[in-house]
Amino acid sequence: MATTDRLKDHWAEQRLFLHRVIAAVIGIVALIIVVLGRLGQLQIADYEYFSAQSQGNRIRVQPLPPTRGLIYDRNGSILAENLPSYQLELTPEQVPDMAETLSRLARFGLIEADNIDTLQALIRQHRRFDSIPIRHRMSDAEVAAFAIERPRFPGVDIRARLARNYPHGVAAAHALGYVGGINAADMQRIDQRDYAGTSLIGKIALERRYESDLHGDAGHEAVLVNARGRIMQSLNAEAAAAGKDLILTLDIESQLTAHRALAGRRGAVVAIDPNNGEVLVFASEPSFDPNRISVGMSRADYLAVQQDPDLPLFNRALQGAYPPGSTIKPILALAALHYEVIDPNQPVYCNGSYSLPGSTHRYRDWKRGGHGWIDMHGSIEQSCDVYYYELARELGIDRMESFMKRFGLGGVTGIDIAGEKNGLVPGREWKQRAFSKRADQVWFPGETLITGIGQGYLLTTPLQLAHVAATIANRGQRFQPTLLRGMSDPVTGAVEFAEPVPLESVGIVRNDQWEQIISAMSAVMQGTRGTARAVGIDAPFTLAGKSGTAQVFTVAQDQEYETEELEDRMRDHALFIAFAPLEDPQIAIAVIVENGESGSGTAAPIARTVMEKYLRDML
Amino acid sequence: MTTLTADRRTQPLGTMGFMLRSLHLDGTLLTGLICMLAIGLAALYSAVGQNTALLAGQLLRMGAALIAMLVMAQVNPGWLRRAAPWVFGLGMLMLMLVLLTGDVGKGAQRWLNLGVRFQPSEIMKLGLPMMLAWLLHDRPLPPSFGMIVVCLAVMIVPVGLIAVQPDLGTAILIVLSGATVIFLAGIGARYIIGAIATALVSMPLLWFFVMHDYQKSRVLMLLDPDSDPLGAGYHIIQSKIAIGSGGLFGKGWLNGSQGQLEFLPERSTDFIFAVIGEEFGLMGALVVLLVYLLIVGRGLYIAAVAQDTFSRLLAGSISLTFFFYVFVNTSMVTGLLPVVGVPLPLVSAGGTSMVTLLAGFGILMSIQTHRKLLAR
């Protein structure tokens, strides 16, 4: 077809164009015949079939939501279940005037006027013919009242659905989390087809982490509806597959004990089985009621919870970063043994304060007047600060930093709840990155000293401290903390147990060095001068522990520490780590009580009660 | 201006004919369009459940679109040709603005908010064929290989910008509007075969590297709608039931159970052809298709008798592209093609595409009524 003559030839071009138009017309006719053929097939050949589908059988396919999996504790006590409840649902395409309907429902007291915008957004997220829950857990009185008014609200209906219920309420809320309505953000992370009939989704903690297992697979059924859209009969259905049941590592008895022991305080208790990393207790106080949150609290109530100065929604066990105080001392003593910077049997004299050579700044010991001559064993038993100032100076921050990191500090433990905080193990490199001013980027020797008593920049979470306690109890072998013991198939009942996940062990420390430290920690509880002797001496089991008191408020030089003058929230945090029984550790625990003032006085008794509850069957 | 209408002296004109001439309107085309708009209003009235407020909105959009048609019909094709690169450039600018600042509607970034929200891709539906026709106007036809490469390059940029919005449906339609220009310009058979082969080869590439999951699921649903009756398959199943149950003569206006009982989703927009099929049956669908053929046929006739290359190519492209809309929508609704979100032209509710469509027909009318006397 290529022309050699490249000048425009109008007649030839017009002829060519005409040929093309004719070709196009042939194509158009062919395509129209295809469409007509298809119409003929649908409307003549298959007319009977489609007519039956449409006229006689008005079939609507509707989703069958799966039943959410249950959650049990390690002994089979139920922690999360599904109870029948009534909810209000709305089908957008049947509602004549959405804004008007919602405002009338608000006036009727069934939804909150403040929530209308949120609901409108939710409705826009759904298809016009979906039934969207707009109010969960109606009371019997509300159901009765609405039933009378129902004809005035076309497109709005009451449905009986299963609602999530947490029998222990606040006690385990931070571990279990809660479920709530599916919002726009949730829509992004789910397969919407699977959630066609589901109205609730795990929002935080375990309910969220194991959402895909708990949710199950949606089924669907074809139903016959009459001319007014009412369901007459159910045809073939593909049943939904219920979600898996979770068996947790938690011991709800011990959890409740921890919850009660912390009552009225701000703090956390985390207990771990050192042999496999199973989390036995995971309590954070104050807590919230997942039963109320999951049904959609009123805005005012939610704001009240959110703005509570005690931060009940804050998961202290997971995200609270606290200076470990003296609970860090066993690790640093181990470091000193390993690097042989100090002879454990060589006593150091403690006169109540310590100064770096060439400096007048006094670093205080918690005990006025000091502990006198004291060796490593005594330094842990009596928690002598001066000993650790000296020890820290000998070790230097670099060795301290790397040794603490071997215990998992400064990083997440990998527990199966999202949002874990790293805490902080400071060092030279960190300081350079963290500060912008050149003068602040230098690591000062004094900072090494206060790190030696678990103060300064050093931060740990209660979970990390429990992990440290478990690691010491296990002589350096570490396991990833987990809350999931196994999953059970709701149909067959077959349980699939989770394997413990070993983490890189601490290594390098010799066995006799572990024993030295553990024996000193046992002296804390049951020795003649142990700081927690009052708690440990009459315990019905052997145990090892270490108290800690972390400063929130820095006391100025030459000023005496006056507890009474401090605002409540300026008081020291009380910390305690422990494990028991000594011969064969079954439980390792960390307790933190914010502003509890004394680790041995406030935190240690809580640790003991919880351990005693957990070891109840062995005693 | 020296332009005179063509056969004023040879044919006796009635009052009607005189009015049409002085408004630069084409009687045949106008009749087809008005018929289609009327059918569309009737179908829509039924599809929206006799909601007059919605119908009034559609009437308003039709009015705006008819005004756009009237305005375009007055524009001399020569002037339009000179404006072509500017229109194209403006469209490109807006497409880039959309990527940078556009509003997000239904998860895709297609809208530009300049006082009124609109989709710049609509401008391209006319802008691209205008640009290509402008490029080919002064060149000898069939176009040289180099010219074809230039045309493809001009096509690829706006199409790419629209495809990443992502709006694959519109991107494909704009590719087609450009491809028709090149086809009508008379490119050789080997290029056409080559293009078809390339399209076939690139399909798997599109599938694996370009298409989003929701787009893939629409294609898969076409093959087996029953595999997901609640999700993507629902539209196709319900649409087929509606059309099939309409039979030869339909269930009667406002009596379609699938549409009226709201089993059929998007019945006022993309799936309105199913409402027509259900309520008016095969006969009704046939009438609709015939009216469409009348419009397309008249458009192609105008192209065939047009006097310069630019007019021929543009008129032909507008007519063929319009047919593609009809074909893609009816095939999609009858389950022959995947659900790609192409409305039924002149019938589906919604304004943006209506204005572009009728503006395009305005151009056709202008080409037909601004013909110079051949005698000179």
Side-chain angles (χ1 to χ4, degrees):
Chain A
M1 273 274 225
T3 35
T4 45
D5 176 13
R6 298 309 294 163
L7 285 173
K8 266 183 99 68
D9 176 344
H10 288 281
W11 282 114
E13 281 185 14
Q14 198 160 6
R15 222 171 31 246
L16 178 61
F17 184 80
L18 216 56
H19 288 150
R20 284 297 151 103
V21 168
I22 291 167
V25 167
I26 294 171
I28 287 172
V29 170
L31 290 178
I32 282 291
I33 287 174
V34 170
V35 173
L36 283 176
R38 176 65 165 182
L39 285 172
Q41 182 199 346
L42 294 177
Q43 299 187 300
I44 296 173
D46 295 340
Y47 170 72
E48 297 295 326
Y49 170 75
F50 285 118
S51 183
Q53 293 253 302
S54 156
Q55 286 294 329
N57 309 323
R58 293 199 179 87
I59 299 168
R60 195 185 297 219
V61 180
Q62 57 183 32
L64 294 175
T67 311
R68 197 173 176 84
L70 308 179
I71 303 180
Y72 298 98
D73 90 332
R74 63 188 300 118
N75 299 314
S77 282
I78 193 114
L79 302 182
E81 62 193 337
N82 306 310
L83 293 180
S85 84
Y86 292 103
Q87 64 186 38
L88 203 59
E89 298 194 357
L90 174 150
T91 310
E93 66 178 7
Q94 291 168 11
V95 177
D97 183 342
M98 187 63 72
E100 205 258 347
T101 299
L102 289 176
S103 72
R104 270 198 298 142
L105 283 171
R107 258 178 280 136
F108 208 68
L110 284 168
I111 58 174
E112 274 190 72
D114 289 356
N115 273 341
I116 286 182
D117 286 346
T118 324
L119 285 173
Q120 292 266 29
L122 180 75
I123 289 162
R124 279 195 293 274
Q125 289 287 323
H126 284 82
R127 294 181 295 188
R128 301 269 305 148
F129 50 92
D130 285 341
S131 187
I132 307 160
I134 53 171
R135 165 68 204 273
H136 297 278
R137 263 198 225 193
M138 299 167 76
S139 69
D140 290 347
E142 284 170 325
V143 171
F146 182 78
I148 298 165
E149 296 292 322
R150 210 194 138 270
R152 290 180 49 220
F153 291 97
V156 184
D157 222 338
I158 297 169
R159 296 277 161 81
R161 288 277 161 95
L162 292 174
R164 201 66 160 167
N165 185 56
Y166 305 93
H168 296 291
V170 293
H174 282 291
L176 296 176
Y178 55 87
V179 294
I182 303 174
N183 62 27
D186 295 320
M187 291 283 211
Q188 301 297 318
R189 61 182 172 97
I190 55 171
D191 181 349
Q192 290 185 27
R193 278 174 288 164
D194 232 14
Y195 281 77
T198 308
S199 56
L200 296 171
I201 189 168
K203 290 292 186 180
I204 60 164
L206 291 173
E207 287 275 28
R208 173 160 185 169
R209 172 65 175 73
Y210 294 106
E211 172 64 28
S212 57
D213 301 295
L214 286 166
H215 179 257
D217 297 316
H220 45 78
E221 73 173 330
V223 290
L224 273 181
V225 293
N226 69 8
R228 303 184 58 203
R230 293 247 155 246
I231 294 172
M232 306 300 290
Q233 188 194 332
S234 167
L235 303 172
N236 61 344
E238 186 183 310
K244 287 186 179 140
D245 295 339
L246 300 189
I247 300 164
L248 300 189
T249 58
L250 287 182
D251 173 40
I252 192 63
E253 294 292 324
S254 309
Q255 177 84 20
L256 287 168
T257 305
H259 169 67
R260 281 192 288 265
L262 278 174
R265 294 184 178 273
R266 297 177 304 279
V269 177
V270 179
I272 295 177
D273 183 340
N275 302 300
N276 46 28
E278 290 183 356
V279 177
L280 308 169
V281 173
F282 192 87
S284 174
E285 289 289 325
S287 184
F288 57 87
D289 185 353
N291 292 316
R292 289 184 59 216
I293 259 186
S294 71
V295 297
M297 297 170 111
S298 74
R299 211 189 193 101
D301 284 357
Y302 188 73
L303 281 180
V305 171
Q306 217 179 19
Q307 291 169 354
D308 185 330
D310 287 343
L311 304 175
L313 295 177
F314 179 50
N315 191 337
R316 288 172 165 77
L318 190 72
Q319 302 178 313
Y322 304 91
S326 300
T327 58
I328 202 69
K329 285 174 181 170
I331 293 184
L332 294 176
L334 277 168
L337 289 177
H338 170 70
Y339 290 113
E340 296 179 341
V341 295
I342 216 164
D343 178 352
N345 302 316
Q346 178 69 51
V348 166
Y349 190 75
C350 163
N351 67 359
S353 76
Y354 183 87
S355 289
L356 284 165
S359 162
T360 55
H361 189 102
R362 290 189 304 126
Y363 293 90
R364 300 155 192 271
D365 194 287
W366 65 270
K367 189 171 177 183
R368 268 183 243 177
H371 297 89
W373 288 101
I374 198 157
D375 64 2
M376 183 178 278
H377 186 89
S379 78
I380 291 178
E381 181 181 3
Q382 298 178 46
S383 201
C384 169
D385 289 338
V386 166
Y387 190 93
Y388 286 88
Y389 292 140
E390 175 63 19
L391 183 147
R393 198 177 66 84
E394 296 279 349
L395 269 174
I397 188 62
D398 299 334
R399 289 193 282 194
M400 287 163 68
E401 180 191 1
S402 74
F403 203 82
M404 286 190 279
K405 284 184 173 168
R406 282 176 175 273
F407 283 79
L409 296 179
V412 294
T413 63
I415 193 174
D416 39 359
I417 300 184
E420 198 181 350
K421 284 280 182 290
N422 282 324
L424 177 65
V425 176
R428 292 178 208 279
E429 213 179 291
W430 165 79
K431 216 185 165 200
Q432 223 166 29
R433 268 186 287 113
F435 288 87
S436 52
K437 275 201 224 139
R438 183 58 63 84
D440 295 335
Q441 291 177 345
V442 187
W443 183 266
F444 297 108
E447 291 170 341
T448 307
L449 297 200
I450 56 172
T451 308
I453 60 162
Q455 294 282 167
Y457 302 116
L458 188 63
L459 292 173
T460 54
T461 66
L463 174 64
Q464 284 174 330
L465 285 181
H467 180 62
V468 164
T471 304
I472 296 174
N474 220 10
R475 275 79 171 161
Q477 205 191 335
R478 297 165 63 218
F479 288 99
Q480 188 174 69
T482 176
L483 280 154
L484 183 74
R485 197 155 190 236
M487 287 191 205
S488 143
D489 186 308
V491 180
T492 63
V495 181
E496 204 179 309
F497 284 101
E499 289 289 315
V501 180
L503 299 174
E504 195 184 347
S505 63
V506 172
I508 65 179
V509 179
R510 289 202 315 268
N511 235 16
D512 62 295
Q513 294 168 332
W514 284 115
E515 297 310 329
Q516 242 175 309
I517 297 306
I518 289 169
S519 116
M521 285 176 73
S522 118
V524 169
M525 307 305 300
Q526 293 170 326
T528 48
R529 308 173 95 168
T531 53
R533 180 182 148 81
V535 173
I537 198 71
D538 61 344
F541 46 85
T542 52
L543 73 169
K546 182 70 197 83
S547 59
T549 304
Q551 267 181 35
V552 180
F553 181 74
T554 313
V555 186
Q557 287 285 304
D558 305 319
Q559 212 182 344
E560 283 308 324
Y561 184 103
E562 296 290 346
T563 308
E564 293 78 17
E565 286 177 16
L566 292 174
E567 280 285 323
D568 183 52
R569 286 185 194 251
M570 290 297 171
R571 290 181 185 154
D572 293 345
H573 292 332
L575 296 96
F576 197 75
I577 61 170
F579 57 87
L582 215 46
E583 321 62 70
D584 177 21
Q586 295 300 312
I587 178 171
I589 193 167
V591 176
I592 285 173
V593 179
E594 284 181 20
N595 316 114
E597 290 194 273
S598 161
S600 51
T602 313
I606 296 175
R608 169 165 163 193
T609 349
V610 173
M611 290 197 289
E612 207 167 325
K613 176 57 87 175
Y614 180 68
L615 297 171
R616 59 193 179 270
D617 295 333
M618 296 174 59
L619 303 175
Chain B
M1 299 297 282
T2 54
T3 49
L4 285 173
T5 46
D7 11 27
R8 183 182 288 184
R9 289 175 221 165
T10 51
Q11 273 177 16
L13 285 171
T15 329
M16 193 69 183
F18 180 75
M19 267 182 64
L20 287 174
R21 283 290 178 230
S22 46
L23 287 171
H24 289 289
L25 296 176
D26 179 74
T28 314
L29 199 48
L30 191 63
T31 310
L33 293 174
I34 298 287
C35 280
M36 208 57 241
L37 291 175
I39 294 172
L41 278 179
L44 192 63
Y45 183 65
S46 172
V48 297
Q50 303 163 46
N51 181 335
T52 43
L54 285 172
L55 204 68
Q58 181 77 351
L59 267 169
L60 213 65
R61 283 189 289 266
M62 279 183 187
L66 284 168
I67 289 171
M69 181 185 78
L70 198 62
V71 169
M72 291 312 289
Q74 313 311 310
V75 179
N76 189 298
W79 192 89
L80 199 65
R81 171 161 53 83
R82 284 187 290 279
W86 299 99
V87 173
F88 181 78
L90 185 73
M92 287 293 296
L93 196 73
M94 288 189 179
L95 280 179
M96 281 185 244
L97 272 178
V98 167
L99 272 197
L100 299 176
T101 64
D103 284 7
V104 177
K106 281 187 179 174
Q109 201 167 30
R110 302 173 182 174
W111 299 85
L112 197 59
N113 203 340
L114 302 171
V116 283
R117 253 162 56 102
F118 75 107
Q119 300 184 2
S121 55
E122 288 295 326
I123 294 186
M124 269 304 160
K125 285 180 180 171
L126 290 174
L128 180 70
M130 276 168 72
M131 179 70 188
L132 294 178
W134 176 80
L135 275 172
L136 293 164
H137 177 70
D138 287 331
R139 308 289 193 297
L141 296 180
S144 64
F145 178 73
M147 205 53 224
I148 294 174
V149 172
V150 171
C151 288
L152 289 179
V154 166
M155 257 170 75
I156 223 162
V157 183
V159 167
L161 285 175
I162 293 163
V164 297
Q165 285 179 354
D167 187 354
L168 206 61
T170 306
I172 288 172
L173 288 168
I174 289 180
V175 167
L176 285 173
S177 74
T180 49
V181 175
I182 299 174
F183 167 77
L184 291 170
I187 56 162
R190 58 203 164 98
Y191 292 120
I192 297 173
I193 293 167
I196 292 171
T198 312
L200 289 178
V201 170
S202 63
M203 263 178 208
L205 295 178
L206 279 177
W207 180 269
F208 287 112
F209 299 113
V210 179
M211 285 171 75
H212 290 245
D213 282 341
Y214 77 94
Q215 292 165 335
K216 289 185 193 175
S217 77
R218 284 171 176 181
V219 177
L220 292 177
M221 276 321 115
L222 184 70
L223 304 174
D224 183 15
D226 295 312
S227 69
D228 182 20
L230 293 178
Y234 187 85
H235 286 56
I236 298 177
I237 292 174
Q238 293 301 334
S239 172
K240 274 159 60 177
I241 291 177
I243 293 173
S245 64
L248 199 54
F249 299 105
K251 299 172 186 170
W253 191 44
L254 306 179
N255 278 326
S257 60
Q258 295 294 308
Q260 298 300 322
L261 288 177
E262 313 185 331
F263 288 91
L264 184 65
E266 293 185 48
R267 54 192 174 277
S268 64
T269 53
D270 290 358
F271 281 81
I272 198 163
F273 189 68
V275 175
I276 295 174
E278 182 180 22
E279 299 190 351
F280 303 108
L282 182 59
M283 287 302 135
L286 198 63
V287 168
V288 167
L289 290 176
L290 283 176
V291 176
Y292 276 128
L293 280 183
L294 170 75
I295 295 170
V296 174
R298 180 64 181 173
L300 288 175
Y301 169 79
I302 290 173
V305 300
Q307 289 169 331
D308 63 273
T309 308
F310 176 81
S311 302
R312 270 203 290 273
L313 294 179
L314 185 56
S317 167
I318 289 171
S319 310
L320 288 182
T321 310
F322 178 77
F323 173 74
F324 277 123
Y325 282 92
V326 175
F327 174 72
V328 171
N329 179 273
T330 51
S331 308
M332 160 184 123
V333 171
T334 51
L336 288 172
L337 283 179
V339 178
V340 285
V342 172
L344 187 65
L346 308 177
V347 176
S348 289
T352 14
S353 65
M354 177 93 74
V355 175
T356 326
L357 279 168
L358 285 186
F361 287 116
I363 292 175
L364 282 180
M365 292 182 181
S366 156
I367 289 170
Q368 175 67 0
T369 57
H370 284 88
R371 287 190 298 154
K372 295 165 190 161
L373 279 172
L374 285 173
R376 291 207 299 150

